[in-house]
Amino acid sequence: MNARRVSYWAAVAVLWVGLGVMLLAFSWALELPDTQDLAVPARAPTVTILAHDGTVLARRGSGFAGAVDIDTLPPYVAHAFIAIEDRRFYDHVGIDPLGITRAMVANLKAMDVVQGGSTITQQLAKNLFLTPERSLKRKVQETMLALWLESEYDKDELLTLYLNRVYFGAGAYGLEAASQRFFDKPATDLTVPEAAMLAGLVKAPSRLAPTNNPEGAQARANVVIDAMHRYGFLAGPDADTAAAFPAELAARASTETGYAVDWIEEQLADFVSASGRDMTVHTTLDPAMQMAAVGAIKSRLALAGEVSNVSQGALVAMTADGAVRALVGGRNYRESQFNRATTALRQPGSAFKTFVYLTALERGMTPLTIRRDAPVRIGGYAPSNFRDSYEGDVSLMHALARSINTVAVRLTHEATPGSVARTARRMGITSELVPNLSLALGTSEVTLMELTSAYAPLANGGRGVIPHIITKVTLGPELDTQPTEEPKPEPRAGDLPLADEVVYEREGGGLGRILTRTNVARMNAMLAYTVTNGTGRRAQIDRPAAGKTGTSQENRDAWFLGYTADLVAGVWVGNDNSSPMVEVTGGRLPAEIWAGFMTAAHTGLPARPLPGDWEPPVAVAAAPQPVEVNATAPAYDPRFGPPGYTPDGYQRRAPKEDDEPGFFSRLFGGRNWAD
């Protein structure tokens, strides 16, 4: 009796749950988007990219080529996509239970999402009708639409729609646009290695785009070639040949703006989805500054010559609110499209010390606070200074200007590496930071773009910024879906032109205040002193400027990050294979590149002071005088406080014989301070 009642109520529960699922699915079905217009456009859309002043930087996309048809492509092109994305494409009805099961098993084994179960038809449904949202509702709608597509179109028609709509990265929507973008040829002329590379991009187009990640794109292409061979689409010798002779990117015509335009196109997918319409992208790039940046990199690297063993350089310049005005990702865009400004992760060296000293100021110190420059060992870590020289007691201002390692490590130990990492993140560093003592010396890798933007709050008075280059995106009228022989009617007098549809426009200024005005003023004074009297002397220009040098271990990377009241710029030089340079430090070649560019970029602009008005106390404003290390300064020197005073304004007194060394005495090297 009990078993019968349990079975009865179980059946009732199943019935109600099933009914609920059906009602929920029906409600989601009512929300499905319109599926009226699925025709392939007669041509792929053109992307026009405009500079800050409205001049055309580039036009990309296959605006003058027709869309691809599966029947006109070499068979291996379609096979590449089928092999890697949906090898049972011609056998299922839009969803593939075997593929879903296989993906679930692989994901369970790996304890991670390593395979997806979506078919090409499901991907097409998502690309055509749905948003990228990850939810059960969207997945159910995707399945419904996939089944509907399979009922309305044959397999070749679906594959044609898919190839003309899918995103390949770097702003290329559709196979023809991608073929033109990456290989400068029509899709009908693609080779096996090229087809394999394009098919491999679909998984993660922004991350794998060969202009951004050539190694990742090629590694993925090899996976595609292996899949084509494994599933019978490619004979063994042909697969070996395709792997041995990988695809090569075409050199683009625009060498001055190539890296910047690539970065713009990579971001487009975050602002607007594929629409089949011509697109105009308004940007912050300044053509004159861009030319100056390209010239500064090329000319200075040429002068450095092979004797310095430096082959590459990059430069980023932005306004104080983060609007990118110039971007150079390498020495020669034709030879290498890899963007070293936005993608390459390199050790910043002492350029990272700015965040160490900012953390110290936020803990109550001042530019005149004293710390000892002497050999230091903390646990098993014993960093040394450049050329193993030490100066004894020095002020923070002097230590930063001279880029003294021991003081930076002492400050990081006092504040904890985690605190320094948090300061850097607040300023704009997004790459992974390892919170250990060596962080003070810039051992965690960052990109030039994020490091440059992290200096921007010091130039604007303390407000956090988001580096940006796209300000507005507009879409033109709908493209004709099919070519026609009929002439279009002439516009009548008085007809207004169709206005472009604005689909994105940047609003807002940034992240708000992240630094106090006092600490901005103090950091600007310290970094300005670095340029006038420290390691950044070669970066001096005809107006107030501040900045910091950086050199990684064995001279593998050299940096200069600096700013005026109008512009923030960062320069990196090094080698792609991380081989050491010869006598190239941040205070030499990068500082010279920076000064040359900034001089040209400020042409016609009035000189303005940096934010903040911090000055040493009047009592210590006398000119620095040379002193012996640890001697009492007869006049003000940045390494010491005023005569008879501590750096924070407390009066010194002579030690008494019965004084016992307390905490402050031990902390400040045996001196006793009067309260």
Side-chain angles (χ1 to χ4, degrees):
M1 184 66 178
N2 289 338
R4 291 180 61 187
R5 290 180 63 84
V6 169
S7 300
Y8 170 78
W9 287 112
V12 170
V14 169
L15 179 64
W16 280 106
V17 169
L19 182 60
V21 170
M22 291 176 61
L23 290 173
L24 183 61
F26 179 74
S27 69
W28 288 347
L30 293 177
E31 298 178 24
L32 289 173
D34 183 27
T35 58
Q36 292 296 315
D37 184 15
L38 291 184
V40 176
R43 65 171 176 85
T46 297
V47 178
T48 301
I49 299 175
L50 304 180
H52 178 60
D53 61 1
T55 58
V56 176
L57 290 174
R59 283 192 175 93
R60 290 193 173 174
S62 54
F64 305 99
V68 300
D69 189 297
I70 193 69
D71 295 329
T72 65
L73 296 173
Y76 52 74
V77 175
H79 293 161
F81 287 87
I82 292 171
I84 196 65
E85 291 296 321
D86 185 5
R87 67 174 183 264
R88 286 173 36 83
F89 173 69
Y90 283 100
D91 298 324
H92 61 65
V93 294
I95 57 173
D96 184 9
L98 291 178
I100 294 172
T101 303
R102 183 178 62 253
M104 291 177 61
V105 171
N107 294 338
L108 286 173
K109 286 182 178 179
M111 297 301 292
D112 195 6
V113 180
V114 296
Q115 284 189 22
S118 294
T119 64
I120 284 178
T121 313
Q122 287 176 283
Q123 294 179 47
L124 176 62
K126 180 178 67 176
N127 291 338
L128 286 173
F129 306 116
L130 301 172
T131 66
E133 174 194 1
R134 293 177 177 269
S135 66
L136 177 61
K137 176 182 177 180
R138 190 200 57 77
K139 198 66 179 176
V140 171
Q141 290 179 325
E142 175 188 293
T143 302
M144 294 177 179
L145 289 167
L147 294 172
W148 176 83
L149 285 169
E150 290 276 350
S151 68
E152 294 292 320
Y153 297 89
D154 65 35
K155 291 290 186 178
D156 285 348
E157 289 173 330
L158 290 174
L159 197 54
T160 297
L161 282 168
Y162 174 79
L163 293 177
N164 282 287
R165 302 277 185 164
V166 71
Y167 181 56
F168 290 90
Y173 291 90
L175 183 66
E176 182 65 23
S179 182
Q180 297 281 1
R181 173 69 183 86
F182 298 126
F183 306 119
D184 201 19
K185 62 170 64 174
T188 52
D189 293 342
L190 287 170
T191 64
V192 172
E194 292 166 347
M197 181 171 285
L198 293 181
L201 300 181
V202 175
K203 177 182 180 181
S206 296
R207 179 171 59 85
L208 293 175
T211 52
N212 181 50
N213 184 4
E215 294 82 6
Q218 185 53 51
R220 180 66 175 168
N222 290 336
V223 173
V224 175
I225 292 169
D226 181 66
M228 293 174 71
H229 173 55
R230 187 185 315 123
Y231 302 127
F233 295 117
L234 200 61
D238 294 334
D240 293 339
T241 301
F245 299 94
E248 295 184 2
L249 295 185
R252 306 293 297 191
S254 176
T255 58
E256 289 78 16
T257 61
Y259 294 108
V261 171
D262 284 352
W263 191 54
I264 292 164
E265 290 185 329
E266 289 162 13
Q267 296 180 73
L268 274 178
D270 296 330
F271 295 94
V272 59
S273 58
S275 64
R277 296 160 67 178
D278 288 338
M279 187 182 303
T280 301
V281 184
H282 301 256
T283 75
T284 62
L285 211 68
D286 184 292
M289 289 191 194
Q290 181 68 24
M291 291 295 291
V294 172
I297 290 289
K298 288 186 175 181
S299 62
R300 292 290 178 173
L301 288 181
L303 288 173
E306 295 183 3
V307 67
S308 298
N309 189 37
V310 54
S311 60
Q312 285 294 346
L315 186 152
V316 171
M318 61 182 65
T319 61
D321 64 355
V324 175
R325 294 292 191 227
L327 190 158
V328 181
R331 183 175 189 170
N332 190 319
Y333 182 80
R334 288 183 181 275
E335 294 179 358
S336 170
Q337 290 85 47
F338 178 64
N339 196 329
R340 296 155 189 85
T342 62
T343 305
L345 288 166
R346 308 294 295 236
Q347 290 187 347
S350 293
F352 197 86
K353 289 176 181 173
T354 295
F355 311 121
V356 175
Y357 284 83
L358 178 57
T359 304
L361 296 184
E362 292 180 335
R363 297 181 70 243
M365 300 182 196
T366 78
L368 300 180
T369 297
I370 295 293
R371 284 295 180 271
R372 177 170 288 276
D373 173 27
V376 59
R377 177 178 293 275
I378 301 173
Y381 185 54
S384 60
N385 288 336
F386 184 62
R387 293 180 178 151
D388 290 322
S389 61
Y390 303 92
E391 301 186 44
D393 291 344
V394 294
S395 70
L396 299 194
M397 175 177 277
H398 178 80
L400 180 59
R402 294 290 296 273
S403 203
I404 296 175
N405 289 341
T406 60
V407 175
V409 171
R410 290 181 194 277
L411 293 173
T412 301
H413 179 59
E414 293 173 24
T416 74
S419 295
V420 173
R422 286 190 290 274
T423 298
R425 294 216 175 281
R426 174 161 40 96
M427 294 290 285
I429 299 298
T430 56
S431 296
E432 181 182 0
L433 299 176
V434 181
N436 55 30
L437 287 176
S438 69
L439 179 67
L441 307 185
T443 55
S444 288
E445 296 177 330
V446 298
T447 68
L448 178 60
M449 177 63 72
E450 63 182 316
L451 190 57
T452 305
S453 67
Y455 274 69
L458 298 173
N460 67 33
R463 298 182 302 279
V465 307
I466 300 173
H468 59 278
I469 197 168
I470 296 176
T471 57
K472 185 168 70 171
V473 180
T474 61
L475 298 180
E478 295 282 352
L479 300 178
D480 292 337
T481 57
Q482 295 296 338
T484 176
E485 299 292 335
E486 298 180 8
K488 295 184 178 180
E490 294 292 331
R492 296 174 299 177
D495 283 353
L496 295 175
L498 291 174
D500 288 346
E501 177 188 353
V502 178
V503 292
Y504 168 78
E505 188 162 14
R506 180 175 173 79
E507 297 179 355
L511 303 175
R513 179 162 296 280
I514 61 172
L515 300 175
T516 66
R517 291 180 174 84
T518 298
N519 285 335
V520 169
R522 288 173 172 176
M523 282 303 305
N524 285 345
M526 295 169 74
L527 291 172
Y529 186 79
T530 300
V531 170
T532 57
N533 295 82
T535 59
R537 287 188 296 273
R538 298 191 187 199
Q540 293 181 64
I541 55 176
D542 62 350
R543 63 197 61 229
K548 184 69 187 75
T549 58
T551 309
S552 67
Q553 292 180 343
E554 299 183 359
N555 298 73
R556 298 179 188 277
D557 304 276
W559 309 69
F560 187 82
L561 282 297
Y563 53 93
T564 65
D566 297 293
L567 203 62
V568 187
V571 175
W572 166 88
V573 298
N575 297 304
D576 288 339
N577 62 2
S578 293
S579 60
M581 297 174 285
V582 179
E583 295 186 355
V584 176
T585 63
R588 295 186 177 184
L589 183 57
E592 293 168 356
I593 293 173
W594 186 91
F597 165 74
M598 292 292 269
T599 298
H602 285 82
T603 301
L605 293 177
R608 297 197 297 143
L610 295 171
D613 56 358
W614 185 87
E615 294 287 348
V618 175
V620 298
Q625 299 293 324
V627 296
E628 296 179 6
V629 173
N630 291 327
T632 301
Y636 172 66
D637 185 285
R639 295 175 295 176
F640 301 92
Y645 288 82
T646 74
D648 297 308
Y650 296 111
Q651 187 174 12
R652 286 193 178 96
R653 63 173 173 83
K656 299 177 181 179
E657 292 183 359
D658 57 350
D659 279 342
E660 294 184 4
F663 172 75
F664 287 98
S665 177
R666 294 193 302 272
L667 182 61
F668 292 104
R671 285 192 175 91
N672 291 274
W673 311 118
D675 293 333

